[in-house]
């Protein structure tokens, strides 16, 4: 089950990435629903700084994991991040840029819109 596909601007949610395929539902969008405990809703543009922080914090997004069909992320890739991890990266000064049109409105339960706007690419 998915929540309505609306972005933080109140418009229809745009795709985040299909190469690599992202999203909790692996549909290319940062959709969410009751089973998405991590709230994978922030469409972020990966940077080397953020990937290093994520790895340091225990979530290695850059190393390929072929057993899970995961090719690993590199700077420039777009990916649906957990809202809390984005907020943590913001607090650490390492937050990536975000696409507001592809960031699910549920993000606003964790990250204020004014913080998201600081990193907006759109």
């Amino acid at each position: 089950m998915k929540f309505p596909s609306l972005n933080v601007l109140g418009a229809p949610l745009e795709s985040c990435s299909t190469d690599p395929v992202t999203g909790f539902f692996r549909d290319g969008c940062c959709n969410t629903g009751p089973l998405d405990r991590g709230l994978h809703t922030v469409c972020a543009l990966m940077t080397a700084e953020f990937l290093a922080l994520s790895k340091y914090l225990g979530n290695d997004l850059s190393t390929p994991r072929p057993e899970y069909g995961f090719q690993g992320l590199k700077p420039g890739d777009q990916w649906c991040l957990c809202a809390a991890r984005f907020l943590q990266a913001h607090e650490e000064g390492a937050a990536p840029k975000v696409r507001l049109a592809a960031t699910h409105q549920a993000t606003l339960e964790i990250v204020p819109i004014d913080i998201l706007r600081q990193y907006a690419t759109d």
Side-chain angles (χ1 to χ4, degrees):
M1 178 182 155
K2 293 180 188 176
F3 293 146
S5 296
L6 296 172
N7 65 33
V8 294
L9 305 172
L13 186 66
E14 293 183 7
S15 176
C16 182
S17 176
T18 56
D19 184 22
V21 176
T22 191
F24 179 77
F25 296 100
R26 291 298 186 260
D27 59 2
C29 295
C30 296
N31 280 303
T32 191
L35 298 178
D36 180 12
R37 294 185 189 168
L39 209 63
H40 297 78
T41 55
V42 178
C43 182
L45 183 66
M46 296 294 100
T47 62
E49 184 179 29
F50 174 78
L51 289 169
L53 175 67
S54 189
K55 186 174 185 176
Y56 173 77
L57 294 173
N59 187 20
D60 182 0
L61 296 172
S62 54
T63 301
R65 298 293 303 266
E67 66 272 26
Y68 298 112
F70 181 67
Q71 63 191 24
L73 300 177
K74 60 189 179 313
D77 286 342
Q78 293 186 155
W79 193 250
C80 294
L81 289 183
C82 293
R85 179 54 51 95
F86 174 83
L87 185 59
Q88 182 180 24
H90 161 73
E91 292 167 352
E92 296 288 335
K97 294 290 186 183
V98 300
R99 287 190 47 233
L100 298 178
T103 296
H104 196 280
Q105 69 178 1
T107 303
L108 299 175
E109 297 171 15
I110 306 289
V111 184
I113 189 68
D114 60 316
I115 291 176
L116 290 170
R117 286 184 196 274
Q118 292 176 37
Y119 301 96
T121 62
D122 55 357

